[in-house]
Amino acid sequence: AIRLDVSGMLRRAVPTGPDAAALDALGPRLAAAVQAFEARVREGVLGFRDLEAQAGERARVLDWAATARRGLDDVVVLGIGGSALGAVCLRTALLPRDWNARSADQRDGRPRLHVLDNVDPRSVAGLLELLDLARTRVLVVSKSGSTAETMAQYLLLRDRLAAQGLSAREHLAFITDPDKGALRKVAAAEGIPAFEVPPNVGGRFSVLSPVGTVPAALFGLDVQALIDGAIAMRDRCTSAQLRENPALAFAALQWHAHETAGQGAHVLMPYSDALRDLGPWFVQLWAESLGKRTADGRHVGPTPIAAVGATDQHAQVQLFMEGPRDKTVTFVDVESHPDDLGIPHGDGAPADLAYLRGHTFGELLRTECRATAGALARGGRPTMTLRVSQVDAWHLGGLFMFFELATIYAAGLYGIDPLDQPGVELGKQLTYYQFGHPQWQGMREIWESLPAS
Ligand code: PA5
């Protein structure tokens, strides 16, 4: 189960939180946000919810992966933004820690997973040194099939495969739009395996599409459980009532904290190493979807922050406790740790460490989560806690869906479109101009007027 405890956001816990009357007064705003959500559903643009419609493609992914995974030492994901962060999160959550450092035996013959989400030559060259391309499958993940960073990586990997006489069909696979973009054309011309990102599923909402399921299937992860968990969460989040719809409650309380108390920095802090890459995934989703210019020219949106418990108790928590009162903190508390270990206190252990005796690591982690939430509440800092029974594919699917739905509700409250990202375009276009892309030569004047050019 996944349960959202919002008590630390409310007036009885923190002075800035809404009381019952303020929650009631939210009614019309919530109704408008729910209506905006439903309008997007009717428009058919929230394809990430429609996981049943993707069942055919999912079956194709699983069939292909069952054969493709044989004889692989390495899988490389080439992608950026929404085309990379989901795979990173799946790897960290569902494979043992330090997976890539394990021997083939320790990995049960399953491949290592590398996600190349930047074009820093040091990372690219470093990875190439590691790979035996004859035993590697490269997943080129780009919905548009045109993203400069991913395409540059693709051209390099393709060139290296050719230099070793290795077939593109055997060593590449594409995850892209069903019709558009350069990758789709290459796939059709050369018979390279290609899986579809539905046109109505945006990049940062695509982890449950082949963008996430292809890597997951190559690792033999439980793709069906991932999807089932997401569907169960989606079906829990349909009501227009805060108490009955956790995604709506999360969005509404975050927005309310921002709007009424200036608490627009939204921290996500899982007390779990397995969930540490949920933070960067959430940061991209919340930031790229909600940081926008409104139709009437205002600049709105929260600033998401990723933290990890207990590690950040020795770092960012100082800021959360005593820094500006501009934050909310959402904890993720994992209730069961199947690999839990007792803390020994044998002969010769110092007496002043005796307080640890009889406890476990899991207990320490969970107690620290509760203690930090309590300490923040005592300091008047708003918190929420997502309680997750355990980290597995089902719960991870549920978490992905929870945050994706919350993003759409939050967009309704902020009054912006969560599905576009116009703010990232100018930088891309100026790069294209500098690289001589014929379509962007009109950017010269802007380029030359830049202070740094
Ligand atoms: O969420 C988004 O839309 C972006 O972050 C994209 O995922 C990112 O720009 C990569 O795009 P593409 O998959 O088209 O290469």
Side-chain angles (χ1 to χ4, degrees), residues 78-85 141-151 175-177 183 197 201-206 211 284-285 288-289 418-421 424-425 428:
L78 308 181
I80 197 162
S83 288
L85 290 160
V141 187
S142 176
K143 183 179 178 200
S144 62
S146 64
T147 300
E149 296 89 342
T150 309
M151 293 304 106
I175 298 156
T176 192
D177 187 272
L183 291 178
V197 189
V201 176
R204 53 194 174 274
F205 295 88
S206 68
V211 171
Q284 190 227 359
L285 179 70
E288 200 173 13
S289 303
L419 304 179
D420 64 4
Q421 51 283 324
V424 303
E425 292 308 322
K428 281 192 204 169

Side-chain angles (χ1 to χ4, degrees), residues 58-76 95 99 104 107-112 134-139 169-173 193 195 213-224:
R58 231 169 11 251
R60 212 164 73 76
V61 165
L62 290 169
D63 266 10
W64 173 80
T67 317
R69 79 164 75 104
R70 292 193 199 127
L72 285 183
D73 284 344
D74 293 279
V75 168
V76 179
L95 293 170
W99 178 254
R107 286 185 273 115
D108 311 321
R110 290 184 282 165
R112 291 177 285 254
R135 296 179 62 79
T136 298
R137 177 72 71 163
V138 179
L139 305 177
R169 206 181 297 183
E170 296 297 320
H171 293 279
L172 294 174
F195 300 96
T213 58
V214 172
L218 282 174
F219 285 87
L221 300 178
D222 192 343
V223 170
Q224 194 53 50

Side-chain angles (χ1 to χ4, degrees), residues 395-413:
H395 288 89
L396 192 61
L399 288 170
F400 285 140
M401 182 58 75
F402 169 82
F403 286 115
E404 290 175 358
L405 294 171
T407 302
I408 307 297
Y409 286 124
L413 292 160

Side-chain angles (χ1 to χ4, degrees), residues 13-17 257-266 318-329 375-382:
V14 288
T16 52
H258 193 181
E259 184 78 4
T260 62
Q263 293 155 344
H266 296 166
Q318 171 59 36
L319 172 72
F320 305 161
M321 277 297 293
E322 294 194 334
R325 292 185 176 278
D326 60 353
K327 296 175 194 64
T328 68
V329 182
L376 284 165
R378 223 176 120 73
R381 315 270 170 160

Side-chain angles (χ1 to χ4, degrees), residues 7-15 377-378 380-381:
S7 53
M9 295 292 284
L10 304 178
R11 175 65 57 89
R12 53 179 184 269
V14 288
R378 223 176 120 73
R381 315 270 170 160

Side-chain angles (χ1 to χ4, degrees), residues 14 34 51 55 73 86 111 117 120 133 160 165 173-174 270 301 333 338 378 431:
V14 288
V34 169
L51 293 165
D73 284 344
D117 68 346
D120 184 329
L133 287 178
R160 294 296 169 97
F174 297 161
D333 172 28
R378 223 176 120 73
T431 305

